Amino acid sequence: MLNSQVHQTVNSSPTSSSSVFLLNKSSFLSPSHHGSFPLRPWSISGRNLSGDRVKSVSNNIRASVSKSTTTEKFVKVKGTVTTRLTISGNLTNVGLNRALDDLTDVARRTLLIELVSSELDPKTGEEQEPLKDFAHWIGQDMEQVRYECEFMVPVSFGEIGAVSVENQHHKEMFLKDIVLNGFPNGPLHINCESWVHSKFNNRDKRIFFSNKSYLPSETPAGLKKLRKIELTRLRGDGKGLRQSYERIYDYDVYNDLGYPDKSDELARPVLGGPEHPYPRRCRTGRPPTKKDPLSESFSNDFYVPRDETFSDVKQLTFQVKTLDSVLGALIPQIETRLVDQNQGFPYFTAIDSLYNEGIHMKKTEKGGYFSNGLLPRLVKAVSNEANELLRFETPELLDRDKFSWLKDEEFSRQTLAGLNPCSIRLVKEWPLKSELDPEIYAPQDSLITTELVERQIRGVMTVQEAMKKKRLFVIDYHDLFLPYVNRVRELEGTTLYGSRSLFFLEDDSTLKPIAIELTRPKNGNKPYWRDVFTASRCNATSCWLWKMAKVHATANDSGYHQLYSHWLRTHCATEPYIIAANRQLSGMHPIYRLLFPHFRYTMEINALARQKLINAAGIIESAFSPDKYAIEMSSAIYAKEWRFDQEALPADLLKRGLAVEDPNADHGLELIIKDYPFANDGLDLYAAIKEWVSFYVNHYYPKPEEIESDTELQAWWTEVRTKGHADKKDEPWWPVLKNQDDLTGILTTIIWVTAGHHAAVNFGQYHYAGYFPNRPTIARTNMPVEDPTDEEFKSFLKRPESTLLDCFPSQVQATTVMAVLDVLSNHSPDEEYIGEEPEPAWAEEPKIMAAFERFQGQLKELEGIIDGRNVDFNLKNRAGAGVVPYELLKPYSDKKGGVTGMGVPNSISI
């Protein structure tokens, strides 16, 4: 906190003489434990919901004042309020309400502006009456509209700590900023960058605090009550249907994914509770369905708090509108064009034609799905006036090496540098063993035997030696998937196995696939079935069976990646952090301001996912393993695997046995696989985040007792555990919050998950899975050796390629997933990247700004380090002929580097 001395120009009676005096009282000059800094002007950057950065200046102000014969003196201050015209706000204000609002503007009463003092009235000991004036329209410049107000500020008023705004229009406004002019040393800017509801919807005034950050115990006396009032409003009362203009944060279970009123087939269980543990989402208050009182009815408008919604830039560009186009127009046309929903690809050349020749799509009456340019990456050309040509961009993986998907080396490499590099684990016990009941499922001991492994590694070492040297690794979905196998197999057009994939670590840090085990459990009187497939080159039949086993193992990995590594660990688990922060941390709290950029757009994209992607019969259920049980299975994985204390990258690597603690190694960890691109780059990024957060925490909390006594901070962390992740509230592994290290660890984990982890599992989706033979999302047929009929086995022997193609996703499934992944792996035009811009409040503290600049420097250095790694041919998992370089964790955006090298966004915004 700065020691500030504020002098202002004061107006008094005409007979007064001029002199200089100190405006602020002594209480305003008291130093804090943060230290004292030289008085100087400072500039800050603000963010608006349209994606622009706004620069503002706040000053310690000196001015000449008039000496009056009266006891009170005043400063004449003129305020300029800037609002932004928006598609969803001002531009839709038409009809009768628009006419009434025009009259309001004519009457010069558009916005009621109130200046709130940070000091109490010395006479009454109560909050001072705010200074009020109506702001009236003075002009418009492009998309911005300006209003003006004027105040006579008493000398005794003290520092302005907040501004409240009442919108007299019938429609909401997007308030950009308020600038108070009249001070010799420059204007005072108050950044708003938020929506202000109409007073006709809600009589509560919007509150905007100054950019100075305050712990609860340091809150200026005049703002204490207002700080509590604002938090109370944000929490709401837990009742009623939420309205689009509201800013209320509350919790609910995931009970809106099914449509029981449409069909029993579309009913889905409630996720959240003892039977299906799950994180909580934002409460909308929609009424229950008719058939199931526990399920929430569907609506085309999914409520999220108003400031969590997308900007107009994001609304109008490829992110949301393109997804709407893909789901609402493109996919139905694909289905019509292909007719047979279950039709597969007859030849591999038919798959290639998606990128070379494309699919002819009939134009609509409105000029085509793509005439608006919303699908630029999908559409390459228009064939004629009657048709459009849907031609997919060639994924980088296919462009670099058309046959890479067939290679075992690439199959293994992608476990470390692909789309889901967070599932591989060290084998710590031998033999591999299931924890499931053998009377219900299958024998517990794996069929992958010691003899089989030693035969596959050609006697290089024994299994025991390999275990001792940490050379055996596994991706194990056996126990997670097996309970769902029989239910999935009852569905048409799909199948499922429990799977294990075993790998051997070579001396050059590459992995060699050893075996894939597939298991079908018992089903009534039908016994279990299981088999092991290897990369043997003994004969043609075993080679084709190995290819098909890889399809099943990869489909399982695709489902796990989308359901858990991506959706649950980032999107779903983060929403409770956001809800709790807005309910318990004031907007002026320094920790809120640290986390704020990492929460941008997440609640809106999550609502969109519930509405279009993870819902009953949505994209995930329609085209990913395990079909309609996908989201239910994510609950089972959450119950079994998710732990907050293991979400930080170092803890995750230790848990999976991919690293051991070593105080002499970089970041205190020694990687077991030296060339592990996700871990190599991720640990560097994680360490930079932790250093920045550590300085920030220690700056605001020099003593550990200040953390324990911070009522807002403790309430936030308690609510994250007990409400946001209520089904795990009693777990002993939750970090405590007693000192600086505790808080640093918690905040670093959250920032890593929202920035680094999400970038690693999201933005490579199209380039790794856009050519679906490399990464099929679903397997539709059983292995040819699982209880085949004579005819089926003869067909496999005669034309194994057809059997493999039949196992791949259907044409509708494949093209649907390709189109959706193309959208979901793109960056928004208004994306904000980690370390790119400081938050406004950080510029209030010179030491914080200096630390942030050091953070920026570390990230720029990391850019060069990653570039160097990607051209080091000793690192075979990220460099070499036809190898896709690992760029998903490059911090800054490189528009020329392709999708995978476009930077690490601050938040989960897609």
Side-chain angles (χ1 to χ4, degrees):
M1 184 186 300
L2 295 175
N3 285 331
S4 57
Q5 294 180 337
V6 182
H7 296 260
Q8 295 182 317
T9 303
V10 178
N11 295 329
S12 61
S13 65
T15 58
S16 62
S17 58
S18 181
S19 64
V20 178
F21 73 102
L22 184 65
L23 176 64
N24 293 68
K25 300 190 293 292
S26 59
S27 61
F28 187 68
L29 299 175
S30 59
S32 73
H33 60 232
H34 301 312
S36 176
F37 303 97
L39 299 179
R40 64 177 180 84
W42 46 263
S43 63
I44 59 178
S45 300
R47 177 192 292 108
N48 61 59
L49 295 181
S50 298
D52 300 329
R53 305 295 303 196
V54 181
K55 298 293 181 181
S56 63
V57 178
S58 175
N59 296 300
N60 298 295
I61 304 163
R62 294 180 179 275
S64 297
V65 296
S66 299
K67 183 176 182 181
S68 173
T69 56
T70 63
T71 59
E72 186 62 284
K73 300 176 180 63
F74 298 86
V75 178
K76 184 178 181 180
V77 175
K78 183 175 291 185
T80 301
V81 182
T82 303
T83 65
R84 186 179 298 278
L85 288 174
T86 62
I87 297 297
S88 51
N90 297 63
L91 292 181
T92 61
N93 190 3
V94 296
L96 177 60
N97 285 342
R98 175 57 186 268
L100 293 174
D101 290 344
D102 287 345
L103 290 175
T104 300
D105 289 342
V106 171
R108 303 168 67 87
R109 297 172 67 87
T110 306
L111 294 165
L112 176 61
I113 307 297
E114 298 183 350
L115 307 184
V116 181
S117 174
S118 62
E119 302 178 21
L120 297 176
D121 188 319
K123 297 179 180 178
T124 66
E126 301 292 334
E127 288 77 14
Q128 298 188 56
E129 281 293 320
L131 303 177
K132 306 179 182 181
D133 191 33
F134 283 99
H136 56 275
W137 185 90
I138 59 172
Q140 179 175 336
D141 179 18
M142 300 298 288
E143 79 280 10
Q144 295 184 353
V145 181
R146 295 186 303 280
Y147 301 85
E148 191 172 82
C149 52
E150 191 173 284
F151 303 90
M152 297 299 292
V153 182
V155 171
S156 60
F157 193 70
E159 182 182 25
I160 296 171
V163 174
S164 67
V165 180
E166 183 178 77
N167 176 13
Q168 308 292 306
H169 276 183
H170 288 76
K171 291 288 184 178
E172 63 185 355
M173 287 186 176
F174 183 78
L175 192 57
K176 181 176 176 288
D177 62 12
I178 301 172
V179 182
L180 301 177
N181 291 287
F183 309 119
N185 289 353
L188 171 65
H189 285 241
I190 299 172
N191 291 303
C192 304
E193 307 300 345
S194 179
W195 293 95
V196 179
H197 55 260
S198 166
K199 74 171 185 179
F200 299 101
N201 290 326
N202 185 346
R203 296 295 301 188
D204 291 336
K205 299 180 180 68
R206 274 302 314 276
I207 300 169
F208 297 100
F209 292 108
S210 71
N211 290 328
K212 290 185 179 180
S213 296
Y214 296 102
L215 299 178
S217 61
E218 298 172 338
T219 310
L223 302 178
K224 288 183 178 179
K225 184 180 292 185
L226 202 61
R227 183 169 184 155
K228 292 180 180 179
I229 289 172
E230 178 70 353
L231 284 174
T232 300
R233 291 175 180 173
L234 289 169
R235 293 178 195 132
D237 59 8
K239 300 176 182 178
L241 177 66
R242 296 274 67 85
Q243 303 298 319
S244 61
Y245 59 82
E246 291 181 320
R247 298 168 59 250
I248 293 178
Y249 297 77
D250 203 356
Y251 301 95
D252 207 344
V253 293
Y254 279 76
N255 62 351
D256 62 344
L257 303 181
Y259 314 111
D261 288 347
K262 288 185 178 181
S263 164
D264 291 341
E265 182 65 21
L266 294 176
R268 295 293 180 268
V270 174
L271 301 184
E275 187 174 355
H276 298 291
Y278 221 60
R280 299 306 193 255
R281 62 165 174 93
C282 183
R283 179 186 176 276
T284 68
R286 297 197 305 270
T289 60
K290 295 177 181 178
K291 287 187 178 180
D292 181 8
L294 297 179
S295 294
E296 192 171 81
S297 59
F298 178 81
S299 170
N300 287 323
D301 296 319
F302 273 42
Y303 166 81
V304 294
R306 191 64 183 96
D307 285 341
E308 305 296 335
T309 57
F310 291 154
S311 70
D312 282 350
V313 171
K314 193 174 180 71
Q315 290 282 3
L316 291 175
T317 49
F318 56 80
Q319 297 280 14
V320 177
K321 294 299 182 181
T322 301
L323 189 58
D324 285 341
S325 297
V326 168
L327 299 180
L330 176 60
I331 290 174
Q333 268 290 7
I334 291 175
E335 293 173 347
T336 301
R337 168 73 173 77
L338 298 175
V339 183
D340 184 356
Q341 301 290 300
N342 295 317
Q343 180 181 351
F345 289 87
Y347 304 99
F348 275 94
T349 53
I351 300 174
D352 295 339
S353 71
L354 295 174
Y355 314 99
N356 302 325
E357 301 172 13
I359 302 173
H360 289 276
M361 310 289 290
K362 188 175 182 179
K363 281 189 177 181
T364 64
E365 295 179 359
K366 296 181 179 180
Y369 301 110
F370 318 126
S371 59
N372 55 11
L374 290 176
L375 298 172
R377 281 163 49 87
L378 300 184
V379 182
K380 299 298 182 182
V382 177
S383 58
N384 55 55
E385 293 183 358
N387 295 286
E388 288 179 314
L389 187 65
L390 173 66
R391 194 167 73 185
F392 289 89
E393 179 179 289
T394 302
E396 186 174 4
L397 180 79
L398 185 62
D399 191 47
R400 284 176 175 263
D401 185 349
K402 182 177 181 179
F403 303 105
S404 63
W405 71 277
L406 284 168
K407 300 174 183 177
D408 290 341
E409 293 84 356
E410 183 64 19
F411 173 66
S412 299
R413 188 190 76 83
Q414 289 184 31
T415 66
L416 302 172
L419 193 52
N420 185 34
C422 358
S423 284
I424 192 164
R425 298 169 181 262
L426 178 71
V427 175
K428 297 180 179 179
E429 295 181 1
W430 191 262
L432 301 173
K433 196 177 186 68
S434 170
E435 296 179 356
L436 299 176
D437 186 347
E439 296 298 320
I440 299 175
Y441 297 103
Q444 291 183 321
D445 284 350
S446 170
L447 271 186
I448 304 176
T449 62
T450 298
E451 294 75 20
L452 183 149
V453 173
E454 292 177 352
R455 184 168 62 249
Q456 288 298 305
I457 62 177
R458 304 181 187 280
V460 171
M461 62 183 68
T462 66
V463 167
Q464 291 305 316
E465 289 174 326
M467 292 278 291
K468 184 177 180 180
K469 294 181 179 180
K470 299 182 179 180
R471 304 289 282 268
L472 289 180
F473 296 84
V474 67
I475 295 179
D476 193 344
Y477 299 134
H478 182 279
D479 285 12
L480 291 175
F481 280 66
L482 208 59
Y484 289 88
V485 168
N486 289 331
R487 285 194 282 170
V488 169
R489 287 183 170 221
E490 293 174 356
L491 305 174
E492 183 181 356
T494 187
T495 191
L496 192 66
Y497 292 100
S499 65
R500 293 187 180 102
S501 302
L502 187 69
F503 302 87
F504 176 76
L505 179 64
E506 303 277 20
D507 291 338
D508 62 359
S509 233
T510 62
L511 291 173
K512 170 185 173 62
I514 299 298
I516 294 173
E517 181 180 20
L518 301 176
T519 303
R520 178 197 73 198
K522 298 175 182 178
N523 188 2
N525 295 326
K526 193 174 185 179
Y528 71 88
W529 176 92
R530 61 178 179 168
D531 204 346
V532 174
F533 305 90
T534 65
S536 170
R537 297 295 185 268
C538 295
N539 58 69
T541 302
S542 62
C543 285
W544 278 103
L545 289 173
W546 170 248
K547 289 181 179 67
M548 292 200 64
K550 287 199 293 183
V551 171
H552 286 280
T554 306
N556 281 4
D557 192 61
S558 293
Y560 182 92
H561 159 261
Q562 204 64 260
L563 294 168
Y564 185 69
S565 300
H566 183 198
W567 161 252
L568 203 143
R569 288 184 70 178
T570 65
H571 289 262
C572 189
T574 295
E575 187 153 338
Y577 311 149
I578 303 172
I579 298 172
N582 283 277
R583 287 168 55 87
Q584 300 298 342
L585 295 176
S586 168
M588 66 172 72
H589 198 293
I591 300 305
Y592 180 88
R593 285 170 162 164
L594 176 68
L595 290 174
F596 176 77
H598 303 287
F599 292 160
R600 183 176 183 242
Y601 294 155
T602 301
M603 293 182 71
E604 173 89 343
I605 197 65
N606 287 1
L608 182 65
R610 301 202 320 270
Q611 189 176 20
K612 298 179 181 295
L613 297 176
I614 66 172
N615 55 311
I619 297 300
I620 300 301
E621 287 194 1
S622 301
F624 283 80
S625 295
D627 207 278
K628 69 175 286 185
Y629 300 104
I631 300 302
E632 180 183 334
M633 195 177 80
S634 73
S635 167
I637 302 175
Y638 171 74
K640 183 180 177 67
E641 295 193 359
W642 190 88
R643 292 177 47 160
F644 181 89
D645 65 325
Q646 294 177 348
E647 289 302 288
L649 180 58
D652 173 61
L653 294 171
L654 291 169
K655 173 189 70 175
R656 292 189 285 122
L658 270 298
V660 293
E661 293 182 342
D662 181 355
N664 297 318
D666 290 343
H667 315 309
L669 294 179
E670 179 186 357
L671 290 176
I672 303 303
I673 302 177
K674 306 304 180 186
D675 180 15
Y676 185 2
F678 166 69
N680 297 131
D681 298 355
L683 284 172
D684 287 340
L685 178 58
Y686 183 91
I689 295 171
K690 185 176 181 180
E691 183 177 329
W692 151 242
V693 171
S694 178
F695 184 92
Y696 191 97
V697 166
N698 281 276
H699 176 80
Y700 285 103
Y701 297 97
K703 301 177 182 177
E705 53 265 29
E706 292 172 320
I707 291 176
E708 290 192 271
S709 63
D710 187 331
T711 54
E712 288 183 3
L713 185 69
Q714 294 294 334
W716 166 68
W717 185 235
T718 297
E719 193 164 290
V720 165
R721 302 191 324 268
T722 61
K723 292 188 176 181
H725 288 272
D727 300 322
K728 289 179 174 278
K729 66 181 188 317
D730 296 322
E731 296 288 353
W733 41 254
W734 282 104
V736 296
L737 187 48
K738 292 185 176 180
N739 57 44
Q740 295 93 331
D741 288 344
D742 297 335
L743 182 55
T744 296
I746 290 169
L747 298 175
T748 304
T749 296
I750 291 173
I751 294 172
W752 161 254
V753 167
T754 57
H757 181 94
H758 180 260
V761 299
N762 182 74
F763 293 108
Q765 289 188 86
Y766 186 76
H767 281 275
Y768 281 108
Y771 184 68
F772 66 86
N774 176 69
R775 194 167 179 79
T777 57
I778 195 167
R780 298 191 299 145
T781 61
N782 297 336
M783 291 292 294
V785 291
E786 183 199 337
D787 303 333
T789 64
D790 290 341
E791 184 178 348
E792 289 171 341
F793 196 69
K794 286 180 180 178
S795 177
F796 164 64
L797 293 176
K798 184 176 181 180
R799 195 168 183 272
E801 179 182 334
S802 294
T803 304
L804 179 61
L805 287 166
D806 288 342
C807 189
F808 282 145
S810 69
Q811 293 189 44
V812 170
Q813 288 172 325
T815 50
T816 296
V817 169
M818 289 163 64
V820 171
L821 293 186
D822 180 80
V823 174
L824 298 183
S825 58
N826 263 294
H827 292 245
S828 174
D830 68 339
E831 197 71 83
E832 294 184 359
Y833 295 91
I834 190 165
E836 187 175 43
E837 293 283 352
E839 287 300 299
W842 302 346
E844 288 281 352
E845 297 282 359
K847 291 184 178 180
I848 292 294
M849 273 303 299
F852 181 75
E853 288 167 357
R854 288 195 298 273
F855 179 49
Q856 288 180 314
Q858 288 177 306
L859 297 183
K860 290 177 182 177
E861 183 180 356
L862 180 55
E863 290 274 308
I865 291 173
I866 292 175
D867 287 339
R869 288 169 178 165
N870 283 332
V871 294
D872 184 350
F873 294 110
N874 294 315
L875 303 177
K876 295 180 173 59
N877 291 320
R878 65 193 305 158
V883 174
V884 177
Y886 193 75
E887 301 176 313
L888 291 168
L889 291 174
K890 287 187 68 174
Y892 291 123
S893 177
D894 178 8
K895 303 300 183 185
K896 298 179 181 178
V899 173
T900 61
M902 284 186 64
V904 175
N906 265 326
S907 62
I908 304 164
S909 58
I910 187 61

